[in-house]
Amino acid sequence: MSPLDRDSLIRQGLKLSQLRLLRAIGETGQVSAAAAQLAMSQPAASRMMADLERLTGVKLYERHPRGIMLTDAGRMLAARARRITQELEDAGHALSKLSSGVRGRVMFGAVTGPALEVVIPAIRQARLTHPEIELSVNVDTSDHLAEALVGGELDFYIGRLLGNIDASDVELREIGPEWIHLLVRADHPLLRRPQVTLDEALAYDWIMQPIGGLMRHTVELFLLHQGFELPARTISTASLLVTLSLVATTNAIAPVPRAVYDFYASQQGLGARLDYLPVDTEISVVPYSIITRRNDPLSASARLFLDIIEARLDAEGPDLRGWLSSE
C-alpha cells in the first residue's frame, strides 16, 4: 500500500458516526436496533450505511428475514470500528479523570520527617481512594527540593525555604517547628540514670550532619547559647541509615527529630532497639512549610493529593510535630 492509500478512507470522507453505526449493527444484527441505540431514525441509518458502502466500494451487509448479516468485509470493518470507537471512549474517560484529578501524575518532595509522618500515610490513603494517580516522591534536603520546585520538577514540597531561591517565586503554608531527640541504643549507659544532663551526653561521640546542615547548625547554636561546649568527638554523615546503624551498635548519640524516634523505635515503627536520652532541655528546629510555586496553579491530581495531606494536618493540628529535617 502506498502512503497515499494509507489514509484513503479518511480522505474520502469516512465519518466517526458511520463507524459507530457499523459497530452497532455488528452488535445488534439489525439496522433498526442499531439506529435506536444511536438515537437516529432507521431511514437515516440506512442512508448512512449506503454512503459507507459507496465510500468503501464493497458490500458490507446483506439482508435476511431476521435482520441483516455482515459480509466478510463488513465484519472486518466492524471489528476495526469497535476498536477505534472503544479507544476514543477510553480517551474520553481518561481525559475526564485527568480533569477531575483522579488520574494523573503528582511529583512532590519532602524532607525525611514529613515523608515519614505525613506523606507515607497520605500515599496509603491515595492508593485506596485514587489508585490511578501516579505518585512520585523525592526525599531530599530543602535546598535541593527548592531548586527542583522552581525548575518545574516538583509540584510542591514539604520542607523549609532556605536562601538559595527567591522567596517571591513561591508560596508557603507554615506548619510548625520540630523537636529534637538525642537518639541512643536501648541499653546505652546513660539510660541507667533517671535524668541526664547535656554535659554528660557531650562526653560521648555525637553523630552529626556535615558542616552547614540545618540540623547540625541548629544543635550547635543551641549548645553554645546554653553555655555548653560543642561535642568534642563527632562523626559527620548525611546518611540516616549510617546514623541508625552507628547508634544501634555503639554508645554514640545522634540528635534527630522526634519523628525518627517515633518511626524507628516505637512499636508502630520498625521496632528497632533505640531510645532517647531524657535530657531536661528540648531543642527545636525552625518551622517547615508546604511550599508551592507562586502564580502556577497545581494540576487537578496534585491539588487532590495535597488536599489529602492538608486534611491530615488540619485533623492532627498541634499534635502533628516532630518531623525530621535533613537539610
Side-chain angles (χ1 to χ4, degrees):
M1 179 181 290
S2 69
L4 292 178
D5 292 330
R6 291 174 184 170
D7 63 348
S8 60
L9 290 178
I10 296 174
R11 286 188 290 107
Q12 293 178 58
L14 179 65
K15 299 175 181 177
L16 179 60
S17 57
Q18 293 170 326
L19 295 179
R20 294 179 65 231
L21 177 59
L22 184 58
R23 173 184 175 178
I25 289 175
E27 293 172 348
T28 64
Q30 294 181 333
V31 175
S32 59
Q37 189 179 99
L38 300 178
M40 62 191 304
S41 67
Q42 181 173 342
S46 297
R47 288 194 299 271
M48 187 178 290
M49 284 301 297
D51 289 341
L52 184 57
E53 286 187 328
R54 283 193 296 272
L55 185 150
T56 60
V58 296
K59 190 71 174 176
L60 297 176
Y61 69 98
E62 295 177 347
R63 296 186 181 276
H64 62 85
R66 293 187 177 181
I68 65 171
M69 179 177 295
L70 293 177
T71 64
D72 289 344
R75 285 193 293 273
M76 181 276 293
L77 189 56
R80 300 292 179 88
R82 185 180 304 110
R83 290 199 293 271
I84 292 169
T85 53
Q86 186 62 56
E87 284 289 333
L88 290 173
E89 290 172 5
D90 292 345
H93 291 315
L95 288 171
S96 176
K97 289 179 178 180
L98 283 171
S99 64
S100 64
V102 299
R103 174 180 288 181
R105 186 179 185 191
V106 184
M107 299 179 293
F108 62 100
V111 293
T112 310
L116 292 175
E117 205 158 43
V118 173
V119 170
I120 289 176
I123 290 175
R124 288 200 299 262
Q125 180 178 338
R127 301 322 295 158
L128 293 174
T129 58
H130 301 89
E132 294 184 77
I133 293 179
E134 179 185 349
L135 300 172
S136 177
V137 56
N138 179 11
V139 179
D140 207 330
T141 57
S142 286
D143 54 344
H144 292 157
L145 294 175
E147 292 173 356
L149 178 74
V150 173
E153 299 171 30
L154 297 176
D155 295 308
F156 64 89
Y157 77 90
I158 304 175
R160 293 172 176 81
L161 185 64
L162 304 180
N164 59 324
I165 65 170
D166 189 343
S168 65
D169 291 335
V170 299
E171 293 182 350
L172 292 80
R173 173 191 166 175
E174 186 173 298
I175 298 171
E178 61 183 352
W179 302 96
I180 307 303
H181 275 334
L182 298 182
L183 193 69
V184 295
R185 61 186 175 91
D187 52 354
H188 194 280
L190 289 179
L191 290 177
R192 300 167 190 161
R193 306 180 184 186
Q195 189 68 48
V196 180
T197 67
L198 279 174
D199 272 328
E200 293 172 318
L202 289 169
Y204 290 82
D205 292 335
W206 279 44
I207 305 172
M208 305 277 277
Q209 284 183 321
I211 293 174
L214 178 62
M215 180 70 67
R216 179 168 184 160
H217 182 67
T218 298
V219 171
E220 289 179 341
L221 281 181
F222 173 83
L223 292 173
L224 292 174
H225 287 166
Q226 296 295 319
F228 294 101
E229 297 290 332
L230 297 182
R233 301 190 307 272
T234 61
I235 301 169
S236 297
T237 179
S239 169
L240 180 60
L241 179 62
V242 171
T243 298
L244 294 173
S245 178
L246 287 171
V247 168
T249 56
T250 71
N251 286 333
I253 297 169
V256 297
R258 197 172 295 173
V260 171
Y261 172 77
D262 290 342
F263 186 77
Y264 287 98
S266 70
Q267 291 299 318
Q268 291 74 29
L270 300 183
R273 287 181 50 78
L274 301 172
D275 209 332
Y276 68 94
L277 293 179
V279 292
D280 55 4
T281 306
E282 287 192 309
I283 310 171
S284 66
V285 182
V286 295
Y288 48 80
S289 304
I290 296 172
I291 304 177
T292 57
R293 285 187 298 276
R294 188 182 299 275
N295 301 322
D296 187 4
L298 294 172
S299 67
S301 51
R303 180 69 262 173
L304 189 153
F305 184 66
L306 186 54
D307 285 345
I308 293 174
I309 292 176
E310 291 182 327
R312 174 172 170 79
L313 292 172
D314 292 339
E316 297 290 342
D319 292 331
L320 191 60
R321 62 186 185 272
W323 288 1
L324 170 65
S325 159
S326 49
E327 292 93 339

